[in-house]
């Protein structure tokens, strides 16, 4: 038995991009235990909700995180609308859903690119991001923002998307699906990818359940935990099943994300086929009443829980976000136990961490 | 082939037009909806201060008595809300981003 050493890992580290600090207790080359500490990018956005008007706060909520910003805006506005018992126009719900699925494809392609980059597979990294560029372009054209869409407002969305553009958004995938299949084939068949991902960072179904894993981490371990199945927005009118893999290793988590890209393409096409005509926003009268509401949405990285508490004024009494990365940290620590030191960056990446989300 | 599934894609990309643009020579065409930077036509502005009150980032400063309107571009998050609430519609969102300073 070797001597135990503690290696500090992060927040500034060449192979770890996220500002997360881990103390890795290692024995020879094996990690025995990992102890996290964080707070490097805390911005106090939850407290800010008490000082900003509830109508203006979606702009702040969308800036909690860059990649899943649309889901943050969507969750916040849905929570406020539920608190105020508002029934927003159906077309607005459809538009939000379509954009949410675009943001999911964007996030997964970004992650696949980062994974390929971490593997040292530069050409695959560039190819994933080349596909992502088309998604960003169409989103910029329709909402005005490439990264921060800024589409969600309390009571609807900021602008309508006309029928020819919607048709073009749907048609975009007929050309892109071939590109998705190509990268799917590479991730599935490439020797390097398989060697680095298969059988590393296995998380059993029981552990995933016990540690409260969410999103692709839970789905990769065989738990069909998908908040979209709750039917918020218009997901109850769309036909889909949660993507599940049973192996629980990094490869299963990658596979879940690739399959979710194809699922999102299907959901966008279904939503565009079903979208009704009508208004896209409504006038907000009144203030959030005294009361509270929990809203759960499925972000690209997993479940996010929003809590809002109104006090009858323009400012919320309390606002709380529990994000998917926060929920996945216990699962990450379990995954890291017993792994090789050289696999640590890859395993941290495999849960798709977003520390900005987790620290608000 | 199992060993090099990426080779086919790479070879195809070699003979295709580049996906990137030679940036300083060819600039990207912005969409009409793109949120680039906020402009205010002070000729029509009544200095009501609505944009200042509504700005979620606190980037706009208006002093009515001095007929003063200023935007701090470093604080502005280009959310477009000031343009939406402006009663005189003298504020516009330019689709081009703020050009980098050259001096």
């Amino acid at each position: 038995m070797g001597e135990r050493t503690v290696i500090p890992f992060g927040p500034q580290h060449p192979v770890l991009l996220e500002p997360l600090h881990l103390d890795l207790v290692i024995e020879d080359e094996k990690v025995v235990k990992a102890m996290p500490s964080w707070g490097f990018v805390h911005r106090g956005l939850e407290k800010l909700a008490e000082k900003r008007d509830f109508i203006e706060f979606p702009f702040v909520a969308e800036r909690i995180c860059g990649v899943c910003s649309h889901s943050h805006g969507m969750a916040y506005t849905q929570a406020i609308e539920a608190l105020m018992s508002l029934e927003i126009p159906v077309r607005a719900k459809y538009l939000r859903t379509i954009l949410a699925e675009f943001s999911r494809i964007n996030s997964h392609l970004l992650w696949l690119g980062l994974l390929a980059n971490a593997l040292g597979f530069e050409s695959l990294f560039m190819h994933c991001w080349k596909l992502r560029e088309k998604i960003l372009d169409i989103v910029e054209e329709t909402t005005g923002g490439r990264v921060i869409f800024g589409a969600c407002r309390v009571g609807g969305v900021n602008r309508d998307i006309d029928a020819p553009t919607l048709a073009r958004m749907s048609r975009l995938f007929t050309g892109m699906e071939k590109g998705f299949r190509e990268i799917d084939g590479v991730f599935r068949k490439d020797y390097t990818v398989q060697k680095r991902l298969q059988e590393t960072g296995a998380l059993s179904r029981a552990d995933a359940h016990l540690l409260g894993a969410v999103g692709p981490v839970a789905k990769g371990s065989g738990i069909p935990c998908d908040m979209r199945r709750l039917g918020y927005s218009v997901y109850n009118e769309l036909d889909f099943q949660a993507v599940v893999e049973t192996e629980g290793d990094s490869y299963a988590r990658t596979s879940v994300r690739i399959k979710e890209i194809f699922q999102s393409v299907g959901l966008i096409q279904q939503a565009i086929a079903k979208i009704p005509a009508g208004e896209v926003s409504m006038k907000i009268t009144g203030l959030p009443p005294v009361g509270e509401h929990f809203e759960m949405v499925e972000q690209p990285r997993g479940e996010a829980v929003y809590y809002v508490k109104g006090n009858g004024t323009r400012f919320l009494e309390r606002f709380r976000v529990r994000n998917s990365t926060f929920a996945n940290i216990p699962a990450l620590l379990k995954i890291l136990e017993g792994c090789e030191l050289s696999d640590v960056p890859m395993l941290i990446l495999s849960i798709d961490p977003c520390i900005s989300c987790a620290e608000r | 082939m199992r060993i090099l599934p990426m080779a086919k894609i790479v070879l195809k990309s070699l003979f295709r037009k580049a996906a990137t643009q030679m940036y300083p020579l060819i600039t990207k065409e912005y969409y009409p909806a793109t949120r680039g930077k906020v402009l205010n036509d002070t000729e029509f502005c009544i200095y009501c201060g609505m944009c200042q009150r509504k700005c979620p980032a606190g980037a706009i400063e208006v002093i009515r008595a001095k007929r003063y309107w200023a935007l701090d571009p470093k604080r502005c998050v280009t959310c477009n809300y000031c343009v939406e609430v402006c009663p005189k519609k003298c504020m516009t969102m330019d689709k081009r981003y703020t050009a980098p300073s050259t001096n």
Side-chain angles (χ1 to χ4, degrees):
Chain A
M1 197 171 131
E3 202 181 322
R4 288 196 172 185
T5 321
V6 179
I7 292 187
F9 194 71
Q12 300 278 346
H13 197 277
V15 292
L16 181 70
L17 298 173
E18 294 287 341
L20 170 69
H21 176 81
L22 287 167
D23 280 315
L24 301 171
V25 182
I26 61 159
E27 210 176 86
D28 296 335
E29 282 287 297
K30 287 245 187 279
V31 177
V32 182
K33 201 180 169 197
M35 291 171 286
S37 58
W38 49 12
F40 302 102
V41 287
H42 178 70
R43 290 150 292 160
L45 293 182
E46 286 180 355
K47 189 72 185 164
L48 195 62
E50 296 161 27
K51 294 198 160 83
R52 289 277 180 272
D53 193 307
F54 75 102
I55 302 231
E56 291 157 26
F57 198 71
F59 302 118
V60 182
E62 283 202 320
R63 281 159 179 83
I64 289 177
C65 164
V67 180
C68 35
S69 93
H70 179 77
S71 320
H72 280 294
M74 191 167 166
Y76 173 80
T77 46
Q78 278 181 191
I80 289 289
E81 283 150 15
L83 183 66
M84 294 174 73
S85 312
L86 298 174
E87 191 53 50
I88 68 160
V90 185
R91 189 176 172 86
K93 285 186 185 177
Y94 268 93
L95 289 176
R96 279 183 190 176
T97 309
I98 291 166
L99 290 171
E101 291 308 316
F102 267 100
S103 115
R104 195 179 311 278
I105 298 176
N106 166 21
S107 170
H108 285 346
L109 283 173
L110 175 112
W111 182 82
L112 288 169
L114 288 176
L115 178 76
N117 190 28
L119 291 166
F121 206 153
E122 286 284 324
S123 50
L124 183 57
F125 160 53
M126 289 293 169
H127 194 70
C128 290
W129 282 34
K130 190 177 104 180
L131 290 172
R132 175 176 171 256
E133 203 62 25
K134 286 185 184 157
I135 304 283
L136 293 182
D137 277 346
I138 196 100
V139 166
E140 183 184 3
E141 190 186 337
T142 49
T143 64
R146 282 167 72 78
V147 178
I148 311 274
F149 299 176
C152 288
R153 299 289 154 89
V154 177
V157 291
N158 69 337
R159 58 169 71 226
D160 197 3
I161 303 176
D162 57 6
T165 314
L166 279 174
R168 202 149 48 79
M169 284 165 102
S170 184
R171 274 204 312 277
L172 175 77
F173 294 112
T174 47
M176 279 184 81
E177 213 148 356
K178 199 174 152 230
F180 294 150
R181 295 224 177 273
E182 277 175 352
I183 56 162
D184 180 30
V186 178
F187 276 104
R188 219 178 269 283
K189 289 179 198 151
D190 193 87
Y191 183 72
T192 323
V193 177
Q194 283 180 346
K195 273 283 174 196
R196 284 302 297 274
L197 298 181
Q198 271 177 348
E199 290 167 24
T200 58
L203 183 73
S204 67
R205 188 190 159 107
D207 280 338
H209 191 263
L210 187 71
L211 297 168
V214 295
V217 179
K219 289 175 202 166
S221 295
I223 302 173
C225 158
D226 193 328
M227 289 305 120
R228 290 176 290 175
R229 301 285 298 156
L230 293 176
Y232 65 85
S233 200
V234 290
Y235 283 110
N236 51 353
E237 292 171 27
L238 305 176
D239 179 33
F240 70 103
Q241 289 295 326
V243 176
V244 176
E245 293 281 333
T246 48
E247 289 80 16
D249 54 1
S250 302
Y251 194 69
R253 293 191 275 277
T254 311
S255 190
V256 165
R257 292 192 177 102
I258 295 175
K259 284 182 183 169
E260 277 196 348
I261 292 178
F262 290 106
Q263 186 190 45
S264 293
V265 171
L267 283 172
I268 290 169
Q269 286 171 340
Q270 278 186 52
I272 289 176
K274 282 186 179 176
I275 191 165
E279 292 289 310
V280 292
S281 63
M282 60 187 282
K283 201 169 164 53
I284 305 298
T285 48
L287 299 167
V290 179
E292 54 188 4
H293 182 73
F294 271 103
E295 182 70 32
M296 280 172 277
V297 298
E298 183 77 6
Q299 288 186 333
R301 295 184 168 99
E303 169 203 320
V305 182
Y306 265 65
Y307 170 74
V308 289
K309 186 178 180 187
N311 56 1
T313 67
R314 300 198 74 78
F315 309 100
L316 294 176
E317 175 98 13
R318 182 82 174 89
F319 169 66
R320 172 97 173 89
V321 185
R322 198 216 55 185
N323 210 276
S324 45
T325 305
F326 194 76
N328 278 333
I329 291 288
L332 171 68
L333 301 180
K334 180 76 187 168
I335 288 167
L336 289 177
E337 279 175 22
C339 77
E340 294 285 332
L341 182 62
S342 54
D343 278 336
V344 171
M346 180 67 59
L347 294 177
I348 295 176
L349 190 65
S350 82
I351 69 157
D352 198 359
C354 176
I355 306 301
S356 297
C357 275
E359 294 183 2
R360 277 96 53 204
Chain B
M1 206 162 89
R2 187 171 171 265
I3 304 165
L4 292 168
M6 192 67 201
K8 207 173 124 193
I9 303 172
V10 173
L11 281 173
K12 259 197 275 176
S13 301
L14 255 183
F15 299 103
R16 242 185 239 156
K17 207 179 120 214
T20 48
Q21 284 177 340
M22 301 293 282
Y23 165 62
L25 301 176
I26 302 161
T27 48
K28 185 177 176 261
E29 275 189 34
Y30 296 110
Y31 301 103
T34 305
R35 299 192 301 270
K37 61 171 184 268
V38 175
L39 298 176
N40 186 17
D41 191 349
T42 43
E43 200 182 319
F44 299 102
C45 183
I46 54 168
Y47 303 94
C48 62
M50 187 61 115
C51 46
Q52 183 190 16
R53 283 195 294 280
K54 294 286 182 186
C55 180
I60 301 175
E61 195 187 354
V62 183
I63 306 168
R64 194 170 194 173
K66 291 182 185 170
R67 294 179 67 77
Y68 174 81
W69 185 94
L71 172 85
D72 182 355
K74 284 180 186 152
R75 292 195 73 128
C76 178
V77 294
T78 54
C79 63
N80 204 39
Y81 198 46
C82 51
V83 179
E84 284 171 31
V85 296
C86 180
K88 290 292 283 180
K89 300 289 168 212
C90 62
M91 293 183 78
T92 46
M93 181 60 77
D94 191 3
K95 59 186 180 179
R96 287 164 302 171
Y97 297 97
T98 315
S101 171
T102 46
N103 52 3

